Amino acid sequence: MNLMLNDFFLEHREQVYPLFRHYINLGKAFLLQSDLWDEFKLFCENEDGSDICNRPISETIHCSQEAAIEAPWIYLAIRPRVARWTYYRFNVEAMQHEEIPVTAYLAFKEQLIEGHKNINKRMLEVDLGPFNREFPKLHESRSIGNGVQFLNRRLSSEIFQNISKGDKQLLNFLRVHHVEGKQLMLNDQVDSVTELRRALRQADDYLRRQDHAAEWDAVGHMLQTLGIEPGWGRTVERMRDTLLLLSDILEAPEPGHLEKFLSRIPMIYKLAIISPHGFFGQANVLGLPDTGGQVVYILDQVRALEKEMKHRISEQGLDIQPQILVVTRLIPEAGHTTCNQRLENIAGTENARILRVPFRTESGEVVPHWISRFKIWPYLEQFAVDAGREIFAELGSRPDLIIGNYSDGNLVATMLAQHLKVTQCNIAHALEKTKYLYSDLYWKDNEEKYHFSCQFTADLIAMNSADFIITSTYQEIAGNDHSVGQYESYSSFTMPDLYRVVNGIDIFDPKFNIVSPGADADVYFPYSDSERRLTGLHNEIEKIIYGKDWPDSYGFLENPDKPILFTIARLDRIKNITGLVEWYGRNEKLREKVNLLVIAGHIDIEKTSDVEEEEQIKHMYELIENYGLQGQMRWLGIQLDKSMLGELYRYIADKRGAFAQPALFEAFGLTVIESMSSGLPTFATCFGGPLEIIENGKSGFHIDPNHGEQATDLILEFFNRSEKEPGYWERISNGSLERVRSRYTWTLYAERMMTLSRIYGFWKYVTDLERDETRRYLEMFYSLQYRQLADTVPK
Ligand code: UDP
Ligand code: LCN
C-alpha cells in the first residue's frame, strides 16, 4: 500500500500540490479529517478542480486523518484501512514527498505546538512494540475484537502440534484446581497423559452403567479411585459428556471442543469489580456528576454474572456460593446516597456486595467530599493498598478475577492484579482521549481542568497490563473506515514536552474481545408488552411531564396531544443536551409538531458541585429564554427510579414519540439501548457506539451532532412520515426491538464473559501470556512518570 501511495503521489503531483497549497493558505497548523474533506470539496467546486476530483484522490483525502502544516511543509497521517497507518510529508514548494516514520510525524507536531525551542530536546519515547514482537497477533482488521477465538485456534494448533507437550500441559492444568481446600477435576494419581487416557476410559465404562441422573455422592467414591475428582458435572450424564469432550481433545484437538471444555472447568467463584470514581450506589445517584452508565452497567453485570456463575458451578456439581465485590470509594459527605456506607448488599443478588473504601491523604486522614474523576489520580495508589486489604478480608482469600472499570478502576485493577497475581480484565466504558479534540496535543491547556496527562498515562499502563479487555463495540477498539477507534487512538500520539508514544497499544492483540452489554430486561421491555406494563405509574408520569407545580422541573408543555421527543443524560458538555435544545429552538416546524422532554442534571444551580454541569445549567436557562421555549419544552432534574424510567420510555412510545441522543461523542450509550428495548424509535449520535448499535433507517437513525439543522430536519421528517404512512413508526420500533434482542442482552454478555475468563486463565497457565518484560517496563513508567504527574494534581 505504501509503495502504491508513493507512486500515487508521484503520478498525481500536478493535481495534489495545488490542493496542498490551498490547505497551507488556510493558515491553520492542524487540519482534521473533516476539515481536509470539506476543504477538498470546496476546492473542487471553486477551482478548476475537475482534474483533481477523481476518485483515487478523493479516496486518499478521505482516509487522511490529519494534516500538520507549516509552509512549505504538509505532514499527512493517512489511514488507508481500519487500524493501518502511514505517514507522508510533502514539500509544497519543491513538490517532493517522502514516507516518514511515525516518530518524525509526531516530532513535527510537537514542533508546531512548542515552537523551535525544544527542537534538540530528546523526548521520552514510549514504545511497547518490541515487547510484543513474539506474541501471536491477528492479521485481519475484521478479526479485531475476537481475540479468544483467535487465541484458541492459533494456540491449540501450535501447542498440540507437539502433542505430548500440549497434552501434558492440559493435564497439569486440570490438576491445579481446588476450592475450599477440596481437590477438583484430577488428583495426583493421574500423573501422565497415558494415565489420563486410561482414567477417562475406565470412568466412562463405569459411568455408562450408572443411572444418568445420579450425582457425585453415588458415583464419586469409585471415580476417585481412578483419579477423578468433583467438577466434571452434577449428573452422570454431564460428567460423561465432559469426560468425552476431553477424550476427543486428546484424540484430535479442535478449538471448538477446547472452548467448550474449558468453559466448563470450575475456576471462578470470587470476583472483584473495581470502580472508584463517582457516586456508586443503588438509588439516588444516577445523574449526579460522574455517575451514569458505568454504575448501571456494573449493577446489571453483577446480577447477570452471579446468575451465570451459580449456573455453571451448579452444573459442574459443586455446591459453592459465588461471591462478587464491587469495590468503590466511600464518600463520608454522601448527600442522599448510601455512599458513606462501607458495605451494601446488591439487590437482586444473593452474594454480591458493594464494598466502599475511602480515599486518604498522605497523613492517613479520610477525604470527606466527592472528588471529580479528573482529580482523583493522587489518591489511587493508597486506595489500591487499602482496597486490597479489605477485599482479602471480605472474601477470605484473593479473588479469582479482577475486573477494572474506566481509567481509574483499570489502574487500581492493575496494581491489585499484579500484587495478588490474579487475572486482570479491563473495561474502559469511555476513553476520554477521543472525546475531547486535541486532548493529547494541547494537553497543557487542559491540564488544570482535566489532568489528561495522568489519565492517558494511567490508560497506557492499564491497557497494556490487562490480560484481556472487554469492549462494548468494535468501533471502541478500531473505529470504522472513516473514524479512529478509541483504543486505536492510543497506538501513537504525543503530549508535547511530556512524552511521545510511538507504539502505545496494538489493537491486533488478541486481548481485545467485544462483549456488548444489555439493558435490564425486567425494567426496559417493549411498550406493547401490555401484561407487564406498570400502568399504575401513569398518573405520576403524567404529573412529572405535564404537572405545572411539579418539583425539580422547569418549563411546561402546553399541548399534551403532541408526541414527545425525549432525552435523558448527565448534564456534561459532551452529552450535548443543550445542543439538542438549541436545534429544537431553531426548528419552528419541529416545535409545532412535538414537545421536548429533557431529563438532565439539576434545575437548581446551587445543587451542583461540578463546574461543567454548572456551565450547562446556565446555558440551558439562556436557551429556554432566548428561544422562548416555554409551553413546548419541559426540563426535569429529578432522579427517577429505574422502574419509573422504564415506564416513562414506554409511555412516550404509547404516544408515538421518539428518543434523541445528541452527544458529541458517546462511547457506547446505554440510554440508546434502553429506549430501543422499549420500542421507542431512536435518533442517536453518529460518533461512537450508537453508530454500531443502530442500523440507520432500520433500527433507528444516526444524527450528526455537528449538523444540528440536518438532525432536526431528519427528526421532523420522521414524525411527518409516521403521521402520513401507516405502520412506519411501528416498523422502526420493531426494528429497534429486534436489534437489541439479537445483540444487546445481559444473558449473552454473562455467558461470553465467563467463557472468556476461563479460556484466558488456561492460556495464561500453559503459555507465557504473563508478559513479564512488559510488566517491568510499565512499572518503571508508573514510578517515573505517572507518580510525578499525579503529584501535580492539587489535593
Ligand atoms: N440516567 C438516569 N438519570 C439521569 C441520567 C442518566 O437514570 O438523570 C441513567 C440512564 O437511564 C442510563 C445511564 O444513566 O442507564 C446513562 O448511561 P449512558 O451509557 O447513556 O451514559 P453515561 O452517563 O454512562 O455516559
Ligand atoms: C460510559 C459511557 O460514556 C457510556 O457511553 C457507556 O454506555 C457507559 O459508560 C457504560 O459502559
Side-chain angles (χ1 to χ4, degrees), residues 292-295 297 406 427-430 435 472 517 570 575 661 665-671:
Q294 182 170 325
V295 174
Y297 179 119
Y406 192 69
I427 304 177
H429 295 283
K435 273 198 198 169
S472 299
R570 290 179 290 115
K575 293 287 182 190
Q661 209 284 16
F665 181 85
E666 185 61 61
F668 180 68
L670 286 177
T671 55

